[in-house]
Every structure is written in structure tokens, then in C-alpha cells.
Amino acid sequence: MTANVISNGLALYATIAAGGAMGACLRYFISQLAMQWFGKGFPFGTLAVNILGSLMIGIVYGLIESEYVAGHPWRTFLSIGFIGALTTFSTFSLDTLLLIQQGAWLKAIANILLNLLCCLLAAWLGIKLILNKG
């Protein structure tokens, strides 16, 4: 490996780490805010960050596809780092399993459907907001 390849690789990982740190902090903030507003009876924080992350990934995709922003390093910073740490599919999975274990089948089904439908709609909306601007 040359020094340039190693240097570029380290810069890439630093970019991902910086975005990830910010995304994780925003995720924690939104989760805490949702718990204060709505209580602990339903995982609204996870739902909120999944919808927001889906909207953001649609917007980022639209911005890159329409060439408003360069694909690199913004794609790495935003998509892999920031949005990757912000969205919480693993938390969504655990929240759903815990609801099922508690016998809260209706809440578990609502959680699955709301996350799936709202996140798909948000990603679609993000793309449409950027690519249909003209």
C-alpha cells in the first residue's frame, strides 16, 4: 500500500466517523424528546428517527443524482455516517420483539406498519422534493 492510499482510507473513515457521531447524537436527542412528549408506551423515538432518516436519504440521493452536490465525500459523510447512525433499524427490530414478548401484538403490528409505510413514503418524498424541482 502506498502512503496516499492509506491517507485516503483514513480520511474516508474519519469522514464516516464524524457523520456517525453527529447522527448518533441527533438520534439520542430525538429519542429523549419523543419519550418526554409521548411517554414510553410506544417507541415513537425510533419511529421518528426512521422516518427522518428515510426522508434524508431520499433527499441526499436526489441531490447526488441531480448533481446538486458531488457524490464524494458528501455521500459518505451523510449516507453512511450521519444517516447510518441516525436511523435505527436494529432498535426498531428490538422494540418490535419486546412489544411481542409483552403481548402487545397490536402495538407491534402498528410499529411494523408505521415504520415501513412512513419510511418508504418519506424516502419517496425526499427524492421527489429534489428531482421534481424544475
Side-chain angles (χ1 to χ4, degrees):
M1 284 189 161
T2 66
N4 192 29
V5 171
I6 293 171
S7 176
N8 287 342
L10 292 175
L12 177 66
Y13 282 101
T15 301
I16 293 168
M22 289 192 276
C25 288
L26 182 59
R27 175 177 128 188
Y28 180 76
F29 175 77
I30 291 171
S31 294
Q32 293 302 304
L33 194 61
M35 227 182 320
Q36 288 176 357
W37 287 353
F38 303 112
K40 296 180 181 182
F42 187 84
F44 285 108
T46 303
L47 177 62
V49 296
N50 284 343
I51 293 170
L52 178 62
S54 296
L55 177 63
M56 291 174 74
I57 200 78
I59 290 171
V60 168
Y61 175 82
L63 288 171
I64 291 169
E65 283 295 304
S66 62
E67 298 179 356
Y68 281 116
V69 296
H72 183 77
W74 287 108
R75 180 184 178 276
T76 305
F77 174 80
L78 291 170
S79 298
I80 298 171
F82 185 79
I83 299 169
L86 172 67
T87 58
T88 56
F89 193 79
S90 58
T91 306
F92 155 77
S93 299
L94 179 61
D95 287 340
T96 304
L97 285 173
L98 292 174
L99 288 170
I100 291 169
Q101 287 177 347
Q102 296 164 6
W105 283 92
L106 189 56
K107 284 184 180 181
I109 292 168
N111 193 40
I112 292 166
L113 292 176
L114 285 169
N115 271 281
L116 179 64
L117 296 175
C118 292
C119 292
L120 286 172
L121 179 62
W124 174 82
L125 179 62
I127 292 170
K128 291 296 179 187
L129 286 171
I130 301 302
L131 295 182
N132 289 341
K133 278 198 143 195

